[in-house]
Every structure is written in structure tokens, then in C-alpha cells.
Amino acid sequence: MYKIELPLLGFEDIKELEIKSLDNNFITIELNKEKNLNINLVNIDYFKEADFNFNIDDDTLEKMNIKELKDFKIFFCIVMQKPIEDSIVNLAAPILINEKEKLIGQYVLKDRIPRLFTTLSEASI
């Protein structure tokens, strides 16, 4: 069980959740098992060609107990489509996961980014 340290937008009342790994790049966070309420996520590493350059503020790093890059992984919410390459990825509010401490949270980027959304088929933003 993961503790939600920074609220997930639209799901502020949920305090804990489960994570199911689909493969090295995709996971599902299970918000409510009885209602089958899930969010699909894609690892930032999936976008090998993209240059994601943003800062995470000190308050967020402290809440998530992040001291080094190895302490966490970054994921983006994804709306699955058919074909999967057309799936829409939200770039503006990544999900941070501290696996060691079992903490999760959503961070709304304060830095200006070139695009708010992309698709899996696009190699760069």
C-alpha cells in the first residue's frame, strides 16, 4: 500500500492506493478496487528521445522524502486509446513515486513546458 503524500488531482479524498506494474514502462494505480477506479501511468524513461527539463521545489522533495534522483521515479498519467500509440499523455502534472518509502504524489509543474499533452507515438515534446 502506498501513502498519498501529495494529492492526486480530482482524487483528493483518497489517502492510500495500490500499484500494479504492467511492464518496465507502464503501471496502473488502483484508486478504488470495488469501483474498478484506476489511473494508467507511463514512466518518463519511455520517452527516450524527449528532453524533460523541470525543477521540483524543495517543499515537494521534503514531503516525498526525496534526497537523490535514485529515490524516486517519475510517471505521467495516460488516457489509453486504440491503437496504443495514440494514447494521450499529460505532461503538466507528473506523478512522483518514492518506492523505498512507499510514497506517491502528483506534482503540478510550475516551469513553463512546450506542450501540456503528447501521444505515445511522438518521440519528443
Side-chain angles (χ1 to χ4, degrees):
M1 196 63 86
Y2 288 76
K3 179 182 176 194
I4 299 176
E5 203 57 47
L6 301 170
L8 302 178
L9 301 176
F11 303 99
E12 289 82 0
D13 294 339
I14 298 174
K15 303 300 178 200
E16 292 184 330
L17 56 77
E18 288 290 335
I19 295 177
K20 292 182 180 178
S21 180
L22 304 175
D23 62 22
N24 288 338
N25 292 309
F26 296 92
I27 64 172
T28 297
I29 54 176
E30 198 171 78
L31 300 171
N32 186 316
K33 193 172 190 169
E34 292 79 39
K35 294 181 180 179
N36 197 27
L37 182 58
N38 303 313
I39 298 176
N40 295 308
L41 305 176
V42 60
N43 192 313
I44 194 171
D45 294 337
Y46 180 85
F47 301 94
K48 292 174 180 57
E49 302 299 317
D51 181 23
F52 294 99
N53 211 1
F54 57 86
N55 296 309
I56 301 172
D57 63 60
D58 291 340
D59 186 49
T60 299
L61 294 173
E62 186 176 319
K63 285 180 183 173
M64 291 294 296
N65 198 20
I66 296 170
K67 295 171 182 52
E68 300 179 60
L69 278 175
K70 67 178 180 117
D71 290 343
F72 73 110
K73 292 183 180 177
I74 299 171
F75 289 84
F76 295 109
C77 295
I78 181 171
V79 178
M80 302 302 274
Q81 303 290 323
K82 287 186 181 179
I84 194 166
E85 294 82 15
D86 292 340
S87 296
I88 300 163
V89 181
N90 177 344
L91 300 173
I95 303 287
L96 310 177
I97 299 176
N98 181 330
E99 193 67 48
K100 181 180 172 189
E101 302 291 330
K102 300 292 186 205
L103 301 175
I104 187 168
Q106 190 163 24
Y107 181 69
V108 178
L109 295 179
K110 293 160 184 63
D111 299 337
R112 183 164 164 76
I113 58 174
R115 292 175 59 186
L116 297 178
F117 300 98
T118 190
T119 64
L120 288 179
S121 63
E122 294 175 340
S124 65
I125 59 171

